[in-house]
Amino acid sequence: MLRITVAQINPTVGDFAGNLALMRAAAEAAQRDGAELVVFPELSLTGYYPGDLLDEPAFLAAVDAALAELLAASRATPGLNWVIGAPTRRDGPGKPLFNSLLVIADGAVRLQYAKQLLPTYNIFDERRHFEPGPDANRVLRIGPWRIGFLICEDGWNDDGRDYVVNPFQRLAEAAPDLIVSINASPSNIGKREQRHRLFAAASRRHDLPLLYVNQVGGQDQLVFDGASFAVTPQDGVVFEARRFADDIRTLGFDGARFAAADGDALPTVDPAGLPVMAFYRQQIVLGLKDYARRCGFSRAVVGCSGGIDSALTLALAAEALGADNVTAITMPSRFSSAGSVDDSVTLCRNLGVQLITHPIRDMVDAYAGGFATAFGAPLAGLPLENLQARVRGTVLMEYSNNYGHLLLTTGNKSEISVGYCTLYGDTNGGLGLIGDLYKTEVFALSRHLNEAAGREIIPAAIIDKEPSAELAPDQRDTDSLPPYPVLDALLKVLVEGPRLGQDERAAVEAEYERLTASAEGAALVARIRGLIARNEYKRRQAPPILRLRARAFGSGRQMPIAARHLF
């Protein structure tokens, strides 16, 4: 029986010493388990994705040094084959870079394979830095077994259609006993199930077992969920590693089936996976943990308005970083309701988070008075509303600068889509936790947190109150926007479109068609389209947003600011 260790690790981009330490520890565990093969994720040596660091000579020199160190480390695990991901160069410095898979053992490279399909869609831009690899030998004999190797995207062209380049098909023609695929596959809602469907179908089509090893952890706006898995032609997905956590697991493979390291049967894999709200929660919590850790933050600060968005952001931050490491600041103005202030107190008491009160009325009056004196006109209406948000944003940035806290912005996807936010005000911050959640999902996730805790973490008064920015007398969000269930259905079609999951797309497209059937509804759709287009400049200046859905703002949706839109 071939013993294979799945090394689902959490590498950091550019942290060669840290990544090498993770790889050494996994290899040592593999050797203790008697494994012949230890498999790491794509670009595990550098972390995924290095971006334009790959253009830096010093970075590439560090890659070379780390590879040499890794080769030396492999001598300490005789007989163990390390399957790693790293950038390589053809024929030395100045030559094209490849996104490569290397099999190393006993201080030598036994196999080298360069990724052929380089994704350039959605969040990916690998063709910017790498050249496609040649259709080279990707099969290695380990004992009696012939193992074939792929890198991430190379396996995604095998869906039954006729492609010019299909590395999976070419590898299958070599008739290996097992295919091993190394991956850095970012997580979004429905992605795990998509992987399972695609690779289980390919396994059946070619009558080949497959092991898929994925990265875990948060890197900038991306979160990798791990969830490495094994499939067989007969049984589909038979093994799955932990989601949203490191996992080092040794499996047995007998040429047809996978088993636990001790030979026992593997636990049954739940095809349903996590419920949607549980998925959102875990993805956000891991994303914040790693973002803060990698950027050197141990504490966070959040502006606490008494509204649902800041309440959910605070609750998620407290879960990720610990309540003692989160500070809330409430900044009442003349338009803040007593209920909102009281709700902030209750929320922070429930969470165990420190709440600091910093009234802004005098500051707003001073700014407004100075404006009137200098420019001969009083501030009123929208400029006065925005001034309040900007004063709050300034206070939060002052606190962040002074105490070294990471400021978390609290905007949701509905408001960010249509520009219902104040640039240099509530858009201030270093990271957005809920910027890929629509407003209706913000409410749903808040209820989920309460249900999961079995108590009221986010007060019902916050969940049940009508949304309001509280920047003007008796203000309600519906003064400026359609009801959020209607708005969110439109936004899902207009922003995400075909990237929605099948069930979700059917529901929102039905609402979209109902609205556009009337002149009034068509006018509303046209207005929302215009708001989305006109507010690209705000989104371009906003902090990074943790990606939860297939099309998130940021690198996953690249729109021009200065353009004449055809609608």
Side-chain angles (χ1 to χ4, degrees):
M1 178 176 285
L2 177 69
R3 296 169 75 84
I4 309 167
T5 297
V6 174
Q8 179 177 291
I9 61 171
N10 186 349
T12 297
V13 169
D15 183 7
F16 293 101
N19 297 344
L20 283 167
L22 292 175
M23 297 169 82
R24 282 197 193 96
E28 290 166 2
Q31 190 173 50
R32 288 193 298 271
D33 286 345
E36 291 94 348
L37 203 65
V38 57
V39 185
F40 296 95
E42 178 182 9
L43 291 181
S44 46
L45 188 64
T46 60
Y48 192 95
Y49 186 66
D52 283 357
L53 287 173
L54 292 163
D55 295 331
E56 299 291 332
F59 186 83
L60 295 177
V63 170
D64 294 340
L67 272 173
E69 191 173 343
L70 203 60
L71 281 167
S74 70
R75 294 191 182 97
T77 57
L80 178 65
N81 293 272
W82 301 35
V83 182
I84 69 164
T88 62
R89 283 174 284 191
R90 181 171 60 197
D91 303 327
K95 297 299 183 180
L97 283 175
F98 295 124
N99 179 345
S100 293
L101 176 152
L102 300 153
V103 182
I104 64 175
D106 303 313
V109 176
R110 297 192 62 198
L111 177 144
Q112 181 169 331
Y113 166 65
K115 188 175 184 178
Q116 296 183 66
L117 301 180
L118 300 172
T120 58
Y121 55 86
N122 202 322
I123 56 175
F124 301 106
D125 199 7
E126 287 192 30
R127 194 64 179 82
R128 178 183 176 95
H129 306 103
F130 294 115
E131 294 290 330
D135 184 18
N137 177 29
R138 291 160 277 157
V139 178
L140 179 68
R141 184 173 291 278
I142 299 177
W145 312 105
R146 297 181 73 249
I147 313 299
F149 297 95
L150 291 173
I151 305 175
C152 205
E153 191 76 12
D154 287 347
W156 287 74
N157 260 18
D158 195 84
D159 58 5
R161 291 180 286 179
D162 185 20
Y163 291 96
V164 174
V165 180
N166 184 344
F168 199 118
Q169 173 67 41
R170 294 297 300 276
L171 180 57
E173 291 168 0
D177 299 301
L178 170 68
I179 291 178
V180 170
S181 175
I182 66 170
N183 304 269
S185 177
S187 173
N188 56 258
I189 191 69
K191 188 67 171 289
R192 166 193 179 265
E193 292 72 23
Q194 183 185 12
R195 296 183 201 122
H196 286 189
R197 285 194 304 271
L198 190 147
F199 284 95
S203 175
R204 288 192 301 272
R205 186 160 40 248
H206 299 291
D207 194 28
L208 278 173
L210 179 137
L211 179 65
Y212 182 106
V213 177
N214 194 26
Q215 175 175 314
V216 70
Q219 183 61 50
D220 294 351
Q221 79 275 22
L222 301 182
V223 179
F224 300 87
D225 59 338
S228 302
F229 62 92
V231 296
T232 66
Q234 303 85 4
D235 302 314
V237 179
V238 295
F239 160 79
E240 185 174 40
R242 296 169 66 195
R243 296 190 76 183
F244 303 108
D246 296 20
D247 203 359
I248 311 297
R249 197 85 63 90
T250 299
L251 305 177
F253 176 71
D254 66 4
R257 302 190 187 284
F258 294 92
D262 57 9
D264 288 349
L266 293 163
T268 301
V269 176
D270 181 3
L274 290 169
V276 172
M277 292 302 139
F279 166 82
Y280 285 152
R281 177 183 185 177
Q282 291 194 34
Q283 179 127 329
I284 292 170
V285 166
L286 177 59
L288 173 55
K289 277 183 180 178
D290 278 352
Y291 186 89
R293 175 172 61 87
R294 299 195 208 282
C295 294
F297 292 100
S298 60
R299 299 174 67 85
V301 59
V302 180
C304 185
S305 68
I308 191 71
D309 298 316
S310 60
L312 179 58
T313 300
L314 273 166
L316 293 167
E319 181 174 348
L321 304 178
D324 291 344
N325 295 317
V326 179
T327 298
I329 302 177
T330 183
M331 294 163 281
S333 74
R334 73 175 66 188
F335 303 118
S336 299
S337 67
S340 290
V341 176
D342 292 343
D343 291 342
S344 295
V345 172
T346 303
L347 168 71
C348 292
R349 184 172 61 241
N350 292 351
L351 292 171
V353 165
Q354 179 189 21
L355 177 65
I356 300 171
T357 301
H358 186 307
I360 64 167
R361 178 169 182 165
D362 291 346
M363 297 174 68
V364 171
D365 290 346
Y367 271 104
F371 185 94
T373 299
F375 302 113
L379 276 180
L382 186 60
L384 181 58
E385 293 181 28
N386 287 339
L387 172 60
Q388 295 168 73
R390 291 188 176 115
V391 167
R392 289 183 172 122
T394 299
V395 169
L396 291 168
M397 285 305 304
E398 287 171 349
Y399 188 92
S400 173
N401 290 164
N402 193 66
Y403 294 101
H405 286 39
L406 171 64
L407 174 56
L408 302 176
T409 190
T410 60
N412 62 68
K413 192 166 189 173
S414 305
E415 296 167 355
I416 294 169
S417 295
V418 297
Y420 195 63
C421 51
T422 301
L423 203 56
Y424 321 122
D426 51 326
T427 60
N428 283 4
L431 184 68
L433 304 192
I434 63 171
D436 208 19
L437 288 176
Y438 293 100
K439 188 77 168 191
T440 49
E441 294 175 323
V442 169
F443 283 103
L445 183 52
S446 298
R447 295 187 183 97
H448 166 79
L449 293 185
N450 286 352
E451 291 166 3
R455 65 184 181 90
E456 200 172 271
I457 294 176
I458 297 177
I462 291 178
I463 296 175
D464 294 339
K465 77 170 66 171
E466 188 174 355
S468 170
E470 293 194 340
L471 298 174
D474 299 320
Q475 187 179 44
R476 298 291 181 266
D477 288 5
T478 49
D479 297 342
S480 305
L481 301 173
Y484 281 113
V486 174
L487 177 62
D488 289 356
L490 291 179
L491 291 174
K492 287 176 182 178
V493 172
L494 299 174
V495 174
E496 297 186 61
R499 291 188 176 90
L500 291 169
Q502 187 173 352
D503 292 343
E504 189 175 31
R505 184 166 66 247
V508 299
E509 285 181 349
E511 174 67 7
Y512 181 84
E513 290 173 6
R514 184 189 69 79
L515 281 169
T516 53
S518 68
E520 182 182 4
L524 174 61
V525 171
R527 175 177 165 243
I528 300 303
R529 278 188 185 275
L531 288 173
I532 295 170
R534 287 195 298 275
N535 284 284
E536 178 62 28
Y537 78 101
K538 286 188 179 181
R539 292 188 290 271
R540 195 74 64 87
Q541 299 178 70
I545 292 166
L546 291 179
R547 178 178 178 269
L548 303 171
R549 305 178 65 89
R551 195 177 198 192
F553 290 126
S555 59
R557 185 179 184 274
Q558 299 179 25
M559 290 289 184
I561 295 174
R564 185 177 293 265
H565 294 272
L566 302 177
F567 45 79

